[in-house]
Amino acid sequence: MARIVMKFGGTSMAGIERIRSVAARVKREWEAGNQVAVVVSAMAGETDRLVGFCREASSLYDPKEYDVVVSAGEQITSGLLAIALQAIGVPARSWLGWQLPVQTSDAFAKARIEEIGTDALLASMGNGEVAVIPGFQGVHEDRITTLGRGGSDTSAVAVAAAVKADRCDIYTDVDGVYTTDPRIVPRARKLKRVTYEEMLELASVGAKVLQTRSVGLAMKEGVRVQVLSSFTGDDAPMADTLPGTMIVGEEEIQDVERQLITGIAHDKNEAKITLTAVPDKPGAVASIFTPLADASINVDMIIQNIAHQSAGSASATDVTFTVPAADLARSLEILAQQKEAIGFTGISHDTRVAKVSVVGVGMRSHAGVAATMFQTLGARGINIQAITTSEIKVSVLIEEDYTELAVRVLHTAYGLDAEDVAA
């Protein structure tokens, strides 16, 4: 008998027929004698619809009330799946975030899980009951919280860690992790195994398969995660026999240096902000990024130009950085409020940008990865606006219109194209 957490995304829950299909898949695991907890997302498009309502009501909405609205989608699907399971003879009940409880921080709309109560949950699962848990939501004191977009993956991994599950199966609309988006590059290859570190980098730079925080949590807690397709037919075999992608520790992958680059990712949900004539003095940069951090806004790429003389005699510099596009309005408002304290003279922004990244643990022991990237993009006339690197990643900011071209040429340049493509 195994203890399994199964997570189903929005496309898997998009309508009653698909929910019934999910229930049938869960039933097979339950009938095999496994203890099962299921974490569900809202129906496809539902969270976007609810977010849209919030933005229509006010562009500067209260995050606490935003969480009340957008958490409703997962509550609906958890109840519907419990009903569908009961209808086919599987004892099931839903557990909302406040019922377990899923205790979180007070960063509303971007809360972090601090602790999950498991006593009642384990007792229920031990008695053969399937637990259905809405992802994405938790509670702080007496207020509903949400974990940020894609937070259901984090919920699933957190539940798996809390109940010490044997594995966490993430069912989605793709059948694994590919070297890049197959919709852009038909010759992309599916990967059998990916290290936690590589998946963390891929997720952080735009790969949509798993949410960044979920991968980081899986790595920290040692949760074995399997990415699978939920659209493999009603007679599909059990999850651990399907050819998905396993997210594992580096020690489980032989010859990690053999493959220089594991994948190419892109992200169009970036916005670039430039502050001009920032005083060139100690603490000036901190005065920019501290209030953004206090507002839980993640800053990614940062460029500080060489100091120059401003309109007066003081030395000044320009600072450019990127934030998630969804946080642009809030970032601009915060910076405007802090203009006097920061001392900049002008501010501009650009949403027509995209981040393209190459990722691979093999680059730790190979030189020339960045040079290949820059040469390949330059040969196709693609200008680089910003660069960031880590031990196993190189990312560049480019004009959004060149995103697909950049991904295709880099995929070929690093030898990732599959030799044959199925007709």
Side-chain angles (χ1 to χ4, degrees):
M1 179 183 74
R3 183 174 292 162
I4 301 166
V5 173
M6 307 171 73
K7 185 266 176 178
F8 293 91
T11 52
S12 304
M13 305 298 293
I16 295 299
E17 288 306 314
R18 288 190 178 178
I19 290 174
R20 287 186 179 131
S21 178
V22 167
R25 188 178 295 277
V26 173
K27 182 179 182 180
R28 290 202 298 278
E29 294 284 4
W30 175 77
E31 287 180 332
N34 296 320
Q35 293 183 3
V36 182
V38 186
V39 176
V40 297
S41 296
M43 292 184 184
E46 180 64 11
T47 302
D48 286 337
R49 188 177 74 92
L50 296 174
V51 170
F53 287 152
C54 292
R55 289 175 176 166
E56 286 181 27
S58 171
S59 61
L60 299 175
Y61 47 75
D62 179 353
K64 293 180 180 179
E65 302 305 335
Y66 169 92
D67 281 355
V68 172
V69 176
V70 301
S71 62
E74 282 75 11
Q75 178 172 324
I76 292 169
T77 50
S78 62
L80 289 174
L81 180 57
I83 291 171
L85 285 165
Q86 293 166 2
I88 56 176
V90 179
R93 68 153 289 182
S94 61
W95 295 83
L96 301 184
W98 60 268
Q99 291 175 309
L100 287 175
V102 178
Q103 300 281 2
T104 76
S105 66
D106 62 353
F108 293 91
K110 297 179 181 178
R112 291 188 172 274
I113 296 174
E114 296 177 342
E115 185 179 7
I116 297 180
T118 59
D119 291 345
L121 179 62
L122 288 173
S124 175
M125 294 171 64
N127 290 330
E129 191 173 67
V130 171
V132 184
I133 302 166
F136 180 57
Q137 67 170 238
V139 62
H140 178 78
E141 296 179 349
D142 62 344
R143 300 287 309 193
I144 293 173
T145 58
T146 65
L147 310 182
R149 298 305 298 269
S152 292
D153 285 346
T154 302
S155 298
V157 173
V159 169
V163 302
K164 296 179 170 57
D166 294 278
R167 68 175 192 264
C168 179
D169 295 332
I170 306 289
Y171 288 86
T172 182
D173 55 352
V174 297
D175 60 352
V177 179
Y178 281 74
T179 50
T180 196
D181 189 339
R183 293 170 297 183
I184 295 176
V185 182
R187 300 182 75 88
R189 294 181 286 109
K190 185 168 69 174
L191 301 164
K192 292 181 180 179
R193 289 172 181 260
V194 177
T195 68
Y196 290 125
E197 196 172 0
E198 287 173 322
M199 194 66 241
L200 184 61
E201 291 283 17
L202 286 168
S204 70
V205 295
K208 306 301 182 185
V209 179
L210 291 175
Q211 194 244 17
T212 306
R213 283 163 54 190
S214 69
V215 183
L217 183 59
M219 181 166 64
K220 175 177 176 288
E221 300 293 339
V223 176
R224 290 171 59 84
V225 176
Q226 187 172 203
V227 179
L228 301 159
S229 173
S230 56
F231 303 108
T232 53
D234 293 338
D235 58 349
M238 288 305 220
D240 52 359
T241 66
L242 291 173
T245 298
M246 289 295 302
I247 316 299
V248 296
E250 193 170 315
E251 67 278 0
E252 293 192 42
I253 299 181
Q254 300 297 320
D255 256 345
V256 294
E257 293 185 354
R258 183 173 57 191
Q259 181 66 56
L260 174 60
I261 297 301
T262 297
I264 314 289
H266 70 282
D267 188 1
K268 294 183 178 180
N269 297 312
E270 295 275 315
K272 182 176 72 171
I273 298 175
T274 298
L275 301 181
T276 57
V278 177
D280 184 28
K281 62 181 182 180
V285 173
S287 68
I288 298 171
F289 299 116
T290 298
L292 295 176
D294 291 342
S296 300
I297 295 172
N298 292 321
V299 174
D300 186 13
M301 298 179 163
I302 302 174
I303 300 174
Q304 181 171 333
N305 296 330
I306 297 174
H308 56 80
Q309 293 297 315
S310 63
S313 59
S315 180
T317 184
D318 298 337
V319 178
T320 297
F321 56 94
T322 62
V323 298
D327 289 329
L328 176 60
R330 198 175 298 276
S331 299
L332 294 174
E333 180 196 21
I334 290 170
L335 292 169
Q337 293 172 348
Q338 298 294 321
K339 182 176 181 179
E340 184 175 346
I342 298 170
F344 65 88
T345 60
I347 183 170
S348 61
H349 66 275
D350 185 4
T351 57
R352 297 288 299 172
V353 294
K355 180 169 62 178
V356 177
S357 308
V358 297
V359 176
V361 292
M363 70 173 68
R364 285 194 182 118
S365 53
H366 290 78
V369 172
T372 297
M373 186 180 199
F374 303 154
Q375 291 167 1
T376 301
L377 297 177
R380 301 307 292 263
I382 301 173
N383 186 47
I384 296 172
Q385 302 180 23
I387 304 167
T388 57
T389 65
S390 75
E391 193 177 20
I392 65 168
K393 175 200 73 180
V394 181
S395 297
V396 296
L397 193 71
I398 64 173
E399 187 178 335
E400 183 183 46
D401 291 344
Y402 291 100
T403 306
E404 286 75 15
L405 174 61
V407 170
R408 287 195 296 269
V409 297
L410 289 172
H411 197 269
T412 299
Y414 288 109
L416 298 177
D417 291 349
E419 293 182 4
D420 298 299
V421 179

